[in-house]
Amino acid sequence: MPSHKIDATKWVDAYSDYLFNYTITRVNDRDVAQDLISETFLAGLKSMKNFKGEATERTWLISILKRKIIDHYRKSNSKKGKAEVHINYKDEESEGDWLEERVADPFDKTAEDEIENEELGQAIFSCLDKLPEKQARIFRMKTIDNFDTEAICNEFDITPSNFWVIIHRARTAMASCMEENWL
Amino acid sequence: MNIKVECHEANHICDKNQYKEATFWEKVKLNFHLIYCRACRKYSARNNKLTKAIKNPKVQTVSMSEKEAMKRRLEEQLSN
């Protein structure tokens, strides 16, 4: 074991949302994304020895995940008929029409909107990462997983006013972090 | 009942309001406070922005059950 300890059991809680956002914007399929993340965690386990601790765990996992995503596309590409283009004309009459007429309207949806939204998720989760652990967990439970205040108070054994102070601190930190990195 | 609240209380109401947990009277007090308090107006605006960003449908999270499934897969591998 290297000197720094890696606790793989915490990976799912700590990184799955961040990795998921990263993956979903690239593969656009929930199931595939989850498979890729699971594979990434497994690969991470196997090569734990090689992790020198120079980067953060998350960066390291992302670099594995990138490979997995590339592999995924390689696989799905090799399944395709190579360099074969099938064009389905709607009916007999339109056969031989200009292909160019059938491309999607570029002004339909602006690419910029899409990209912005995709990056937003990553910005949120990397900001969440910077919060102290307890704050991050409570904020996540309340805001993202939509737990009741009471349930969280019971779980962490804190009073409601205690809880709101934590939420307040988390929100302030998140807001300024998002302002720097995003807005 | 005093309609005037102090800033820390206004912030507390604003936080609660992000989760739709503020009562009607609290919202009245908050809005009244925001009329004359510039700092809290700023805080409120940022807070609302944050809520909106997180509510964005493009921000996807892994559900609890999916996380459990992933954990199980990891643990199987760990025990091998």
Side-chain angles (χ1 to χ4, degrees), chain A residues 33-46:
Chain A
Q34 278 173 47
D35 285 345
L36 287 174
I37 293 169
S38 286
E39 277 175 37
T40 305
F41 286 147
L42 295 183
L45 274 182
K46 272 179 207 148

Side-chain angles (χ1 to χ4, degrees), chain B residues 1 3 5 31 36 57-58 68 70 75:
Chain B
M1 281 279 206
I3 197 170
V5 286
N31 279 311
Y36 59 83
K58 273 279 176 178
E68 287 303 316
M70 265 195 247
E75 267 159 25

Side-chain angles (χ1 to χ4, degrees), chain A residues 19-35:
Chain A
L19 297 181
F20 188 70
N21 256 277
Y22 186 90
T23 323
I24 199 80
T25 57
R26 285 163 177 81
V27 297
N28 211 8
D29 183 311
R30 286 189 75 95
D31 291 332
V32 173
Q34 278 173 47
D35 285 345

Side-chain angles (χ1 to χ4, degrees), chain B residues 42-77:
Chain B
K42 192 171 171 217
Y43 177 75
S44 276
R46 283 167 94 197
N47 221 348
N48 291 333
K49 236 191 219 169
L50 180 65
T51 303
K52 246 175 95 186
I54 289 168
K55 286 274 150 62
N56 192 313
K58 273 279 176 178
V59 178
Q60 306 206 38
T61 50
V62 192
S63 74
M64 281 301 190
S65 57
E66 288 166 343
K67 272 187 192 167
E68 287 303 316
M70 265 195 247
K71 266 186 204 164
R72 244 173 284 129
R73 267 159 103 176
L74 254 178
E75 267 159 25
E76 266 168 37
Q77 206 68 19

Side-chain angles (χ1 to χ4, degrees), chain A residues 50-72:
Chain A
N50 301 335
F51 178 59
K52 297 187 199 79
E54 280 165 3
T56 63
E57 259 175 46
R58 202 186 68 198
T59 321
W60 175 59
L61 287 171
I62 281 281
S63 66
I64 301 174
L65 180 59
K66 271 185 201 159
R67 299 277 145 208
K68 295 281 171 202
I69 293 172
I70 294 170
D71 284 348
H72 163 71

